[in-house]
Amino acid sequence: MATQAIASANETDWTKPAAMAIPKEGYFKLQSGRCGPVYPRSPACYGSTIIAKIKPGRDEVIRKYGRTIERTIAGLPEALEVLKLHYLRWVLFDIGKDTYFMYKGIFDTDFDKYTEDAVSLLSRYGLNTVFENLDGFPEDWKTNAPAFVQFVRERQCPSFLEYGEYPYVSADEIKKALKLKAAFPACSI
């Protein structure tokens, strides 16, 4: 609890790096959201790490999906804007003879909203998700958002430490600061 109290006091001070140790459960006090436990906002904002086994032979399909996202963002930079992402990392790795997929996202909204927004975004444009290549992913996810949420919740691996060099700063705030910086000529010191 002390960590949570310290974090709340420092949430407005982006000038000092901050770290937060998070209990194994992923939260300090169990509080239910719309789709499960509410994970705390940390110095790194919100985030999720999902680890799941991929369907056999799907590693190249997943890599191709990554290239599709790259092309989409190149042509439509605001395509994922609703998700309020800072960063997204996808990793494929082997454990024994099986290949696993790790989805790591850092974003500004809580976990439930991020997941709901992702389902809405993909459904609105009739897109598929890379998660369709993962074992156990519900085939009816486009019409059954709770099944999608349950899938990601069951594979969510809460972090136990999060650090922010500029803590609690949203992606929009960072973009505004960079626009302001660009508006002024560079000064040499």
Side-chain angles (χ1 to χ4, degrees):
M1 292 293 189
T3 304
Q4 195 172 22
I6 291 168
S8 296
N10 292 333
E11 282 191 37
T12 58
D13 189 359
W14 57 266
T15 64
K16 296 178 185 161
M20 178 187 286
I22 302 170
K24 184 177 181 177
E25 300 78 22
Y27 48 81
F28 297 97
K29 180 181 176 188
L30 178 57
Q31 178 185 357
S32 291
R34 294 178 306 285
C35 306
V38 174
Y39 298 119
R41 182 174 184 232
S42 78
C45 294
Y46 291 99
S48 68
T49 301
I50 298 163
I51 299 176
K53 188 171 128 178
I54 72 167
K55 294 176 182 175
R58 296 289 182 97
D59 51 332
E60 189 50 43
V61 173
I62 291 172
R63 291 180 186 284
K64 183 179 176 186
Y65 196 90
R67 292 188 293 271
T68 299
I69 296 289
E70 178 186 27
R71 285 191 305 274
T72 299
I73 299 303
L76 187 63
E78 66 279 0
L80 300 178
E81 187 174 37
V82 69
L83 299 178
K84 301 297 181 188
L85 279 162
H86 286 255
Y87 303 101
L88 189 59
R89 293 188 94 159
W90 292 0
V91 178
L92 290 172
F93 61 96
D94 294 327
I95 298 177
K97 294 180 181 180
D98 296 319
T99 302
Y100 285 79
F101 174 73
M102 181 177 78
Y103 177 99
K104 175 68 179 170
I106 301 294
F107 39 86
D108 289 329
T109 64
D110 65 54
F111 185 78
D112 289 348
K113 179 155 177 39
Y114 177 79
T115 303
E116 291 164 350
D117 286 346
V119 171
S120 175
L121 175 74
L122 293 166
S123 296
R124 182 178 331 129
Y125 295 109
L127 302 173
N128 294 330
T129 174
V130 71
F131 290 174
E132 292 176 353
N133 298 290
L134 306 178
D135 275 352
F137 189 73
E139 291 183 23
D140 65 345
W141 69 272
K142 288 182 181 176
T143 58
N144 186 0
F148 185 105
V149 170
Q150 180 180 350
F151 177 86
V152 296
R153 282 282 185 173
E154 289 174 353
R155 289 153 182 84
Q156 162 74 359
C157 300
S159 54
F160 64 91
L161 176 74
E162 296 199 7
Y163 169 86
E165 183 68 24
Y166 41 90
Y168 305 102
V169 178
S170 74
D172 286 342
E173 290 171 317
I174 292 167
K175 289 180 200 176
K176 286 177 188 174
L178 292 172
K179 285 179 185 175
L180 186 60
K181 177 184 174 195
F184 290 94
C187 298
S188 60
I189 297 177

